[in-house]
Amino acid sequence: MDVTYILILLLAGSIITYFSGDKLAARVALFFSVAALAGSVMLLSQFNAGEAIGYSKLWVAKPQIYLAFQGDGFSLAMLLFTTALVPLIIYSSFGSIIQNARSFYALVVFMAFAMAGTFLAADGFLYYIFWELALIPIYFIALVWGHGDAEQRKKAVIKFFIYTFAGSLFMLVAFAYLYQKAGSFLIGDLMGIQLTHTEQLWIYGAFFLAYAIKIPLIPFHTWQVAVYQKAPAVGTMLLSGIMLKMGLYSVIRWQLPIAPSAAKELLYIVVGLGIAGVIYGSIVALRQKNIKRLLAYSSLAHVGLIAAGAYSLTLDGLRGAVLQMMAHGFVIVGLFFAAEIIYRRYATNEIANLGGIRTMTPKFSSMFMILVLASVALPSTFNFVGEFMVLYGLSQVDIWLAILGGLTIILGAYYMLKMYQHTMLGETNTKPFADLNIHETAVMVIIVGVLFFFGLYPKPISDLITPSLQQILVFINR
């Protein structure tokens, strides 16, 4: 068994989900997403046993394009992360009424297929195909099933599509140039090219535009908040939980080892942009009156710190960035799900219209509090492990970078606890708040369990990703 089985399973699942009809679509999508997770766990057992789980076969003779997929610890970790979150995201929607459910869930599973392909691809052209394929389903999910005024939603989604597609074109041009040098799109061949420093700067810049928009980093973030707010809960979870990690993953996998000289020269600039995102996102989050907008700016702050760790070019920074990618994925999905639970009951996410929910539902308020504390890196949670390692990696570059990056914890604690206070505590809302149903409880318990388990025992993930990151650093420092 190799990684292609997971991709085939997800693609087949998307097609079967569509033809299963509206009544069965959600359950069929959940079945295939859980099957993909089970397959990923099987691949992990094979990988730990020393078996090859990658795949490579010539696809097109001229230009030379391979159906090549990575089978190392880094790509496998991201595959496990994706296939673990997607079933949770699908299951979280079981309490919602979704029109044309077969199309909706088919798009969700297809998006999982595209994102998994992006994390696994080892051929630049194949990687670009998956990168762009992931954009199509989220475009329709946000456009067709989103919230709010249809015209405003259309503008936000089109802006998002144009931004990300335009940035990706620069990356495609970079791949075309690299192909002329290497005669291949395979990542090993591309990393072996001896580029001049000027060539590296151009290649680095082309990749940076694609990744900075997807992550997003300031000043390329202007699409984010509107799309997060207008998209349905499932779309927002897919975007914030997994899709933006495509950009962060690609920085480490593609950009840094292909243009290492440029990465070293521009280190302080790009790390500075990441930390600027931490400060900007946190300050703007303080002023938000809508939960989803506040969480969107909070996400901007956290991914800014992750990007700073990835661009630090230290092993601890890279390892911390990968751990924090996963931690952020689970906690932001949990937080947006909490916002969706509130919306289902009160039809609003405006903080001023909420309050006193804790007295009516102690179970929900307790798990919401845990997610809030995890998001601000409380020790014993998964986020603490990732943020600590990122800050430690930054301190190896410059102690002031670590100090400035650490502001995300201080500012995050202020705006997240303030949001919790105004929504959960205070005067009781006159409208009753129903406690969590079985679906909602299961999703929240699993997310909280993952955050505590890997917060107390991150070794399995750290051991899985470290050899791959060390190998990438060898190329960067050559």
Side-chain angles (χ1 to χ4, degrees), residues 199-474:
E199 287 174 323
Q200 287 196 36
L201 288 172
W202 283 105
I203 296 298
Y204 184 93
F207 281 121
F208 180 79
L209 283 173
Y211 302 153
I213 292 169
K214 185 79 77 177
I215 291 173
L217 293 175
I218 62 169
F220 306 99
H221 68 287
T222 55
W223 63 265
Q224 182 201 27
V225 175
V227 176
Y228 278 24
Q229 188 176 7
K230 300 296 182 184
V234 168
T236 307
M237 292 178 199
L238 288 168
L239 271 170
S240 60
I242 309 175
M243 191 173 183
L244 68 82
K245 309 306 187 296
M246 288 164 48
L248 293 163
Y249 166 87
S250 300
V251 166
I252 299 171
R253 174 67 78 189
W254 295 90
Q255 184 185 18
L256 299 181
I258 290 177
S261 176
K264 293 170 186 174
E265 180 177 335
L266 300 174
L267 186 152
Y268 281 92
I269 295 174
V270 291
V271 169
L273 284 177
I275 292 176
V278 170
I279 298 170
Y280 171 81
S282 299
I283 291 174
V284 178
L286 291 170
R287 302 175 58 86
Q288 297 309 306
K289 300 178 181 180
N290 180 285
I291 297 176
K292 288 190 76 173
R293 288 182 65 87
L294 183 147
L295 294 177
Y297 281 110
S298 171
S299 180
L300 178 67
H302 283 95
V303 298
L305 183 63
I306 298 171
Y311 281 114
S312 70
L313 306 183
T314 64
L315 178 59
D316 291 304
L318 294 180
R319 186 162 45 202
V322 177
L323 290 170
Q324 186 62 359
M325 281 186 224
M326 298 180 181
H328 176 266
F330 278 96
V331 80
I332 200 66
V333 165
L335 287 168
F336 274 118
F337 183 51
E340 171 65 9
I341 290 171
I342 294 171
Y343 187 83
R344 287 174 183 175
R345 286 145 176 82
Y346 286 165
T348 182
N349 280 140
E350 295 299 320
I351 296 173
N353 297 332
L354 305 173
I357 295 174
R358 180 180 174 276
T359 60
M360 295 180 280
T361 171
K363 183 165 62 174
F364 170 63
S365 60
S366 297
M367 285 192 277
F368 192 13
M369 186 63 184
I370 292 171
L371 292 171
V372 167
L373 293 175
S375 75
V376 298
L378 182 76
S380 77
T381 64
F382 198 4
N383 294 63
F384 173 76
V385 177
E387 288 199 9
F388 176 80
M389 294 191 72
V390 166
L391 294 176
Y392 181 62
L394 289 173
S395 71
Q396 295 171 36
V397 179
D398 191 316
I399 189 63
W400 284 105
L401 294 177
I403 292 171
L404 291 172
L407 289 174
T408 185
I409 299 174
I410 301 170
L411 295 172
Y414 180 72
Y415 64 73
M416 290 300 292
L417 290 173
K418 182 181 178 183
M419 179 269 291
Y420 184 87
Q421 177 186 358
H422 288 300
T423 55
M424 296 288 113
L425 308 179
E427 186 177 345
T428 303
N429 198 302
T430 56
K431 186 178 179 181
F433 191 99
D435 210 345
L436 300 179
N437 61 36
I438 187 170
H439 302 305
E440 295 166 342
T441 301
V443 173
M444 295 291 272
V445 167
I446 291 171
I447 291 174
V448 168
V450 168
L451 292 174
F452 275 124
F453 179 84
F454 289 111
L456 296 170
Y457 188 59
K459 188 175 183 295
I461 300 178
S462 181
D463 289 349
L464 180 62
I465 63 177
T466 297
S468 301
L469 299 179
Q470 289 173 329
Q471 191 173 19
I472 289 171
L473 276 173
V474 169

Side-chain angles (χ1 to χ4, degrees), residues 128 131-132 135 158-174 205-214 220 223:
Y128 178 80
W131 175 276
E132 293 293 4
L135 184 59
I158 289 176
K159 180 180 180 180
F160 160 66
F161 185 89
I162 292 173
Y163 256 56
T164 52
F165 187 70
S168 301
L169 288 177
F170 287 96
M171 181 173 66
L172 180 61
V173 172
F207 281 121
F208 180 79
L209 283 173
Y211 302 153
I213 292 169
K214 185 79 77 177
F220 306 99
W223 63 265

Side-chain angles (χ1 to χ4, degrees), residues 60-76:
V60 179
K62 194 171 183 180
Q64 195 175 82
I65 302 171
Y66 282 82
L67 282 174
F69 298 97
Q70 295 276 359
D72 65 1
F74 187 19
S75 60
L76 180 57

